[in-house]
Amino acid sequence: MTFVDEVKNAVSVRAALLVLGVLALQLLFITSYVGALHSPKPTDVKVAVVAPGRSAAQLTAALKGLPGHPLAPRTLPDERTARRQILNRDIDAALVVRPKSFSDTLLVATGQGTNETRALVNIFESLESQQQRSLRLTDIAPASARDAGSLSSFYLVIGWCVGGYLCAAALAISHGARPATLGRAVIRLTVLAVYAIVGGLLGAVITGPVLGALPGSVAGLWGLGALTVFAVGALTLALQTLCGVVGLGLAVLIVVIAGNPSSGGGYPAPMLPDFWRAISPALPPGAATWVARSIAYFRGNAITAPLLVLSAWAVAGTAVTLVGSALRRKDRPGPAPAAHPTAGPYV
């Protein structure tokens, strides 16, 4: 037997295609992460200006005209309104001009991500220095002292997403990627739901009371964790039902390759390139990271839309898994009728 024959026997066509698929995922992983994170810069960050008279409009126009359009400024009537909009996550920062002083105040919220805050501070400090004024910072939603870089919410969400994906993968390994029957699909979804409840609770407890990394409601984080784990797991089960083992790779593509770098964890969405900024709110990691930070630092504000996104993934994954399993069962040919031997002649 030649070496080529040995290779053909050792590596089937199916295995070769799977290896090529893995290579494609590897290259997409590198492209997505490096493309999203190699050169972060603020773009159209929502900020506000509080200033008296015509100076508010003039300053807003100056901020709009900055090279590269880093800011999307608006004018607000007073500091109280600016604080409320920051806590509601309508804006990310606000400059409060004090004409009777040589110092202005920049309202920030490091709980939404210190990298974005640092970029905003650099922009406004440069503007203030040009006017020979100084800038004072007021952090109205500060990140926890044990939450370096405001990254704990992101890591928590990544853990939940990995758990949902691996739970679905483990269920596939045990008895095949595609559920053989509708009943088996229901069992897999039930096991996933129980796993999601337990995993969501333990993640919230570890990150909150045990490590003290995230403040906020443990119950709120628990609910978010359960929904996130189930949404990612149901998505993975649905893709497995449709595509078999290839569905695991597709789940990695959606959740890990596209979802993680666009989630706003390391760099919030306004600092990401256009493509990743656009897909961030629609994918489970981005939606869940936003909600986790809102629960921890923003009194649970502005979470309805991302929770609906997570719920949509969960419902769609469940529906596709159930319907796909039912249809597959109907399409499978039934057992062939047993042949009845005929009596032959006596010899």
Side-chain angles (χ1 to χ4, degrees), residues 9-239:
N9 289 334
V11 182
S12 65
V13 174
R14 183 170 181 267
L17 292 175
L18 289 175
V19 169
L20 291 176
V22 171
L23 176 61
L25 288 177
Q26 172 186 309
L27 298 178
L28 287 172
F29 185 99
I30 295 171
T31 302
S32 184
Y33 277 73
V34 176
L37 307 176
H38 77 287
S39 182
K41 59 181 179 180
T43 304
D44 293 330
V45 181
K46 296 178 181 179
V47 299
V49 173
V50 178
R54 296 176 58 186
S55 60
Q58 294 173 349
L59 183 54
T60 300
L63 294 177
K64 286 183 179 178
L66 290 175
H69 304 287
L71 305 178
R74 66 184 68 174
T75 301
L76 294 179
D78 51 51
E79 182 176 342
R80 181 179 179 181
T81 302
R83 286 174 174 266
R84 184 175 68 250
Q85 289 201 9
I86 290 175
L87 290 176
N88 288 339
R89 308 200 73 178
D90 296 324
I91 59 175
D92 293 346
L95 179 66
V96 181
V97 178
R98 306 188 187 281
K100 296 182 180 181
S101 170
F102 291 100
S103 175
D104 298 326
T105 300
L106 182 64
L107 304 178
V108 297
T110 53
Q112 69 192 356
T114 55
N115 286 320
E116 181 185 357
T117 300
R118 190 177 301 113
L120 291 174
V121 170
N122 290 338
I123 292 172
F124 281 102
E125 280 184 342
S126 176
L127 292 173
E128 291 287 291
S129 65
Q130 293 174 14
Q131 302 297 322
Q132 297 183 344
R133 299 176 65 83
S134 61
L135 189 67
R136 183 178 64 183
L137 298 181
T138 300
D139 194 348
I140 66 172
S144 168
R146 296 185 178 183
D147 183 13
S150 188
L151 292 173
S152 297
S153 54
F154 169 61
Y155 293 138
L156 175 61
V157 167
I158 293 304
W160 281 331
C161 290
V162 169
Y165 166 80
L166 290 180
C167 179
L171 292 172
I173 291 172
S174 60
H175 284 289
R178 291 186 174 95
T181 65
L182 177 60
R184 185 168 293 174
V186 171
I187 292 173
R188 288 187 179 185
L189 288 166
T190 303
V191 172
L192 175 63
V194 173
Y195 176 88
I197 293 171
V198 175
L201 174 61
L202 295 179
V205 170
I206 290 171
T207 310
V210 175
L211 298 178
L214 284 182
S217 168
V218 173
L221 289 174
W222 178 13
L224 170 64
L227 178 57
T228 302
V229 174
F230 186 81
V232 172
L235 163 65
T236 306
L237 288 177
L239 292 173

